[in-house]
Amino acid sequence: VQLQASGGGLVHSGGSLRLSCVVSGYDFDIVTMGWYRQAPGKQRELVATVTKGGNPTYADSVKGRFTISRDSAKNTVYLRMNSLKPEDTAVYYCNAAIEDPTRFTMGYWGKGTQVTVSS
C-alpha cells in the first residue's frame, strides 16, 4: 500500500493551501482516510479524518478553517486549509485505514508533506 501526499509549501499567515493524498496498491476497503501533523519537538496529532460514508472529524484547533474531503473513485483524500496560522506549521501526514474481508483493519502512512506558515 502506498500513500503519496502533495500540496505542501510556504504560505503567509492567512493564506490557503490544499493537500492531496492518493492511495494505491490495495485490494480491500479504505474505511477511514485522514490527515495528521507533527511540528518540531511535538507529537504527531490528528488534524482531520473522514469515513467511507463522508463523515468528517476535526481537531478543535482547525475547526472552521480546514475542510477534509475524499474522492473514493480516485482513492484520494484532500485537506483544504484556509486562514493558516504560524502554529499550523508542521509536516502533514496522510493516513488510510484499510479493512480486509476478515474485518481486520490496518493503518498506513504516507511520507508527509511540509507546510510552513510565515507570520
Side-chain angles (χ1 to χ4, degrees):
V1 179
Q2 297 178 339
L3 286 76
Q4 183 65 51
S6 61
L10 172 64
V11 64
H12 290 300
S13 181
S16 298
L17 285 173
R18 189 180 82 152
L19 306 183
S20 302
C21 179
V22 181
V23 185
S24 62
Y26 66 98
D27 294 321
F28 309 120
D29 267 351
I30 301 178
V31 178
T32 304
M33 304 179 81
W35 291 93
Y36 293 71
R37 67 187 181 188
Q38 188 167 17
K42 295 188 177 181
Q43 291 187 329
R44 190 173 298 187
E45 64 176 3
L46 178 144
V47 176
T49 62
V50 60
T51 67
K52 186 178 180 180
N55 296 314
T57 301
Y58 297 96
D60 287 343
S61 59
V62 307
K63 282 181 181 176
R65 300 188 297 123
F66 291 11
T67 302
I68 189 170
S69 60
R70 67 188 278 177
D71 184 334
S72 295
K74 295 181 179 180
N75 307 322
T76 302
V77 61
Y78 305 96
L79 185 69
R80 177 67 180 181
M81 304 184 293
N82 295 328
S83 302
L84 281 161
K85 305 174 181 180
E87 51 263 44
D88 294 317
T89 295
V91 177
Y92 284 69
Y93 297 91
C94 62
N95 174 276
I98 298 176
E99 182 181 83
D100 70 18
T102 69
R103 308 294 295 273
F104 174 77
T105 301
M106 178 170 286
Y108 297 86
W109 294 93
K111 289 186 176 179
T113 184
Q114 177 71 45
V115 172
T116 302
V117 184
S118 62
S119 57

